[in-house]
Amino acid sequence: GGGGALLATAAGVRRLVGPAVTVRSAVGAGDSFLAALVLALARGADERAALAAGVAAGTVAVTRVGTAQVVRAEVEALAARLLEASA
């Protein structure tokens, strides 16, 4: 949500907050977050990068109306910016 996301592992807890955006619909935002997080982990991303991917996907999803699909390039670009900003 607007307060960001937490990822808790045996190594500790990470928190990442996405940028403020105009929310058009929350439908599918959690699903988008989880799918991107799990996909990034399955592809070998570290926890920080996976969390950024999830936050980015959820953020992009709320800017869409209803169940409109997110654009992969947009999610990847936002994830990169989140990683850079949180370094």
Side-chain angles (χ1 to χ4, degrees):
L6 297 174
L7 178 62
T9 68
V13 178
R14 292 184 181 275
R15 179 173 185 242
L16 185 61
V17 178
V21 295
T22 300
V23 176
R24 298 178 75 191
S25 173
V27 173
D31 295 331
S32 296
F33 167 85
L34 185 58
L37 175 86
V38 170
L39 179 61
L41 290 171
R43 289 182 170 171
D46 63 25
E47 294 166 358
R48 185 172 158 267
L51 183 58
V55 169
T59 300
V60 172
V62 301
T63 67
R64 304 294 191 259
V65 174
T67 58
Q69 287 186 326
V70 300
V71 177
R72 180 180 178 176
E74 192 175 351
V75 172
E76 290 173 348
L78 178 55
R81 289 195 312 270
L82 290 170
L83 277 174
E84 190 176 295
S86 68

